[in-house]
Amino acid sequence: MAAARELGVGVCNVRGYCTSSCGQHVWGLILSLTQHVSDYARLVRTGSWNQNESLTVLPHPIRELDGRIFGVVGWGELGRGAARVAEAFGMRVAIANRRGESHRPDRVELERLLAMSDIVSLHWSAQ
């Protein structure tokens, strides 16, 4: 920011830019981590899947999202968009209170959000 200011370069947040693609990326990463698609694809590709006939115990646990808590830090357009998808998966959404803002009944303090959430999505930017 200091270098941009020295050079007279304006830096700003562009609201609404890439909102859909950012949300898709967020959920692509979440699903990759919780469903282990690449890990299971590797087992199929290498033939390891066929070597274990029973596969009664999956080597990579798949985490059910329904009923879990999705914590959001940064309740702007991107955070709200990610939360809508979380709700579509049956997740409960918790929103972090803004630092320095008086407590709101629909939000929780960051420390509590981190402790209670199964997944936390960060959409905060310094201004």
Side-chain angles (χ1 to χ4, degrees), residues 112-124:
R112 182 164 175 242
L113 178 116
L114 295 174
M116 68 189 284
S117 298
D118 297 290
I119 296 172
V120 176
S121 191
L122 304 174
H123 300 278
W124 175 82

Side-chain angles (χ1 to χ4, degrees), residues 6 24-25 38 46 62 64 68 84 120 125:
E6 280 180 30
Q24 291 168 28
H25 185 70
S38 62
T46 63
I62 295 173
E64 180 69 43
R68 304 264 183 180
R84 281 192 298 274
V120 176
S125 64

Side-chain angles (χ1 to χ4, degrees), residues 12-30:
C12 64
N13 182 18
V14 182
R15 294 185 188 273
Y17 178 74
C18 291
T19 300
S20 294
S21 60
C22 181
Q24 291 168 28
H25 185 70
V26 165
W27 279 96
L29 294 173
I30 291 170

